[in-house]
Amino acid sequence: MANERMTAEARTAQLTQVAYGIAKSKGIRKVTRAEVARQTGVSDGLLNRYFGGREGLRLAAMEHAVAQKDAPTLAAAGEHYELPAMPRTLAAEVKKLTH
């Protein structure tokens, strides 16, 4: 993807979609700032600005998986995250979709 000017909302959506794609195909542990930056042509710093770091990026990917009702990706990600460590509403949605 080319690094073009986007609104903050569009850029956040793009980065989240890429992070979700990585989680879906390779697993949540492969969702890193470096990999998302490489695939989108943005800097690691921009990812920090939007997501506050790797964990925020991973949580955004999981939230997107919830929105997609992607139980397999969530179940695999659940092996990495303890449900109590997730934001309460996200943990509830993940539990609902995977149990």
Side-chain angles (χ1 to χ4, degrees), residues 28-59:
I28 196 73
R29 288 181 183 255
K30 298 293 183 179
V31 176
T32 63
R33 291 181 323 219
E35 181 60 20
V36 173
R38 186 188 67 73
Q39 288 190 26
T40 57
V42 301
S43 69
D44 283 3
L46 186 69
L47 290 160
N48 282 338
R49 182 171 145 214
Y50 283 112
F51 300 100
R54 180 186 66 212
E55 294 308 310
L57 185 60
R58 288 177 175 174
L59 286 173

Side-chain angles (χ1 to χ4, degrees), residues 66-85:
V66 166
Q68 299 298 311
K69 300 190 183 325
D70 183 352
T73 298
L74 291 167
E79 295 173 10
H80 175 69
Y81 282 103
E82 295 288 327
L83 288 181

Side-chain angles (χ1 to χ4, degrees), residues 3 7 14 21 23 34 55 67 72-73 76 85 91:
N3 187 8
T7 65
Q14 174 204 31
E55 294 308 310
T73 298

